[in-house]
Amino acid sequence: MLAIMDLHQYIGTREAADLLEVGESTIKRWADQGILPVNRTVGKHRKILLSDLVRVADELNLPRAKLERLLNDRPIDTTNLETLAEQFHAGLIVGENQRTTSLLREAHAAGHRIARIGDDVICPAMMRIGQNWQSGTIDIYHEHRGTQNCLAAVQSLRALLPAADRNAPLALGGGPEGDHYQLANLLVELTLLEEGWQVDNLGPNLPHDSFVRAIRERRPRLVWLSCSHLADVELFVKGFAQLYAAANEVGAAVTVGGRALGADIRRRLTFTHHGDTLGHLATYAHGLRR
C-alpha cells in the first residue's frame, strides 16, 4: 500500500486494483481498452498515474473509501507549507471536503496567517488544478469540484477570525465586470479582516458604475480591485479611471492586484498600491491602518 498521497505518483496494477477494490485483471483490461491510461516500464510492466485512477473511480462510480483513507491517513505537517500545498491539492482532486478544511484550519491554528496560507498553500494548489485540467490529467468537473471545495475550506477560516472593531477603518472591493472568479476576493477579504479592518466584499463581476456608487456611499479608507480576468481591457481602463476618481474624492487608497493586471495594463492606470501577493496586501494594509 502507498505510504503517501501524491497524485503525480505512478503505481502498479496490483496497488491500483486494491485501491479501487477490483481484480487486477480488471485493471489490466481497462488499460488495454484505453479506459485507464498506462505507462510501460522497460520491463513492459504497466504503471498507472494515481490522478488517472482517481478520475476513473469518479467516472465509473467505483468505491473510493481506500483512496480517501489513503489521503486522510497522511499526517498534517503544518511546518512545511510546500507539503501542505501538495496535500491540499490532493484533497481537492479527490473531493475530500473534510480533509481540505482541516488542512487550512490546522495551518492557521499553527500560527500561519491567512495571507501566507493563501500565497503558499491555496494558490499553488489551485494553479496545479488548472494545469491538471489543461493537460487532460483531470476532467473539467474535477476542476469545478475542486474550486467549490476550496471556496468552502477558505470560508471555514472566517470563524477563526475575531470580529472587527466597529471603529476600525473600512475596506471595500471586488472584481471588475466580466471577472467571475470568487476565490481571490474571498482571500483578500479574510486577509484584511485578519489585519483588523472592517470589510465590505462586493464580490466578482461588479460593473464600474456600481463600484463607484458603493465607494461614494460607503466612504471606505481602502478600495481593492482583484483582477483575475479582463473581458474588455479598454472598457476596464476607462471604468477604472472613474473608480479611482471616486476613491480620491472620499480619501480612500486604491490597491490593485491579480494575474490579469500585467505591467502593460498597469502603466495605463493610476493607483495607490499594487501587490503581486496577499502578503504584499497584508503588509500594505497593516501600515495603512496604523
Side-chain angles (χ1 to χ4, degrees):
M1 180 56 67
L2 296 168
I4 62 172
M5 183 67 165
D6 181 357
L7 295 179
H8 297 279
Q9 180 175 344
Y10 285 93
I11 61 174
T13 54
R14 182 177 301 176
E15 292 169 307
D18 180 57
L19 286 172
L20 295 188
E21 301 181 43
V22 298
E24 188 175 2
S25 60
T26 300
I27 295 292
K28 292 179 178 178
R29 184 175 72 254
W30 287 344
D32 293 339
Q33 294 173 343
I35 297 173
L36 186 60
V38 297
N39 284 269
R40 296 275 186 171
T41 66
V42 176
K44 303 300 182 183
H45 297 294
R46 299 177 180 88
K47 289 295 181 180
I48 300 162
L49 196 62
L50 193 52
S51 60
D52 284 328
L53 202 68
V54 171
R55 177 180 54 78
V56 169
D58 281 342
E59 291 174 353
L60 301 183
N61 197 28
L62 297 172
R64 296 179 9 146
K66 288 190 175 182
L67 277 171
E68 293 177 359
R69 191 178 309 123
L70 187 66
L71 173 63
N72 288 324
D73 287 346
R74 186 175 180 181
I76 298 175
D77 179 8
T78 56
T79 63
N80 189 328
L81 295 187
E82 184 176 353
T83 299
L84 199 64
E86 292 176 0
Q87 294 186 35
F88 188 66
H89 168 260
L92 295 177
I93 290 287
V94 177
E96 185 53 51
N97 296 16
Q98 184 175 355
R99 173 68 171 184
T100 51
T101 296
S102 296
L103 285 165
L104 297 191
R105 291 175 72 94
E106 290 197 27
H108 193 265
H112 298 298
R113 296 182 69 79
I114 300 292
R116 190 168 186 204
I117 293 172
D119 287 337
D120 295 345
V121 177
I122 297 168
C123 290
M126 291 304 296
M127 285 181 64
R128 285 180 65 183
I129 291 279
Q131 291 165 357
N132 293 152
W133 170 59
Q134 289 178 352
S135 66
T137 305
I138 61 174
D139 193 82
I140 184 62
Y141 90 84
H142 290 107
E143 189 272 341
H144 283 193
R145 183 181 65 186
T147 299
Q148 293 304 311
N149 185 346
C150 184
L151 285 167
V154 173
Q155 284 279 16
S156 75
L157 296 176
R158 187 190 302 274
L160 305 180
L161 302 177
D165 187 323
R166 66 179 182 177
N167 294 318
L170 173 66
L172 175 149
E177 189 169 5
D179 184 345
H180 297 273
Y181 289 89
Q182 301 180 58
L183 182 58
N185 285 298
L186 179 56
L187 287 170
V188 168
E189 177 186 355
L190 297 188
T191 295
L192 292 172
L193 282 172
E194 192 170 45
E195 292 300 328
W197 289 74
Q198 294 187 67
V199 181
D200 197 347
N201 180 2
L202 303 178
N205 192 29
L206 187 67
H208 285 102
D209 56 350
S210 184
F211 215 142
V212 167
R213 188 176 301 115
I215 292 170
R216 287 174 173 159
E217 291 181 1
R218 299 285 286 135
R219 305 185 69 83
R221 176 69 183 86
L222 175 65
V223 172
W224 87 80
L225 191 67
S226 175
C227 304
S228 299
H229 170 73
L230 296 181
D232 186 323
V233 172
E234 295 305 319
L235 187 63
F236 168 78
V237 171
K238 182 179 178 180
F240 184 86
Q242 298 170 357
L243 183 153
Y244 181 80
N248 195 47
E249 287 174 13
V250 301
V254 177
T255 181
V256 298
R259 64 176 181 262
L261 288 185
D264 55 334
I265 296 177
R266 292 201 305 274
R267 280 193 290 268
R268 302 176 63 185
L269 309 177
T270 302
F271 48 81
T272 317
H273 171 262
H274 165 261
D276 290 316
T277 67
L278 290 167
H280 293 161
L281 172 66
T283 300
Y284 176 71
H286 181 79
L288 185 64
R289 186 173 186 275
R290 291 183 64 185

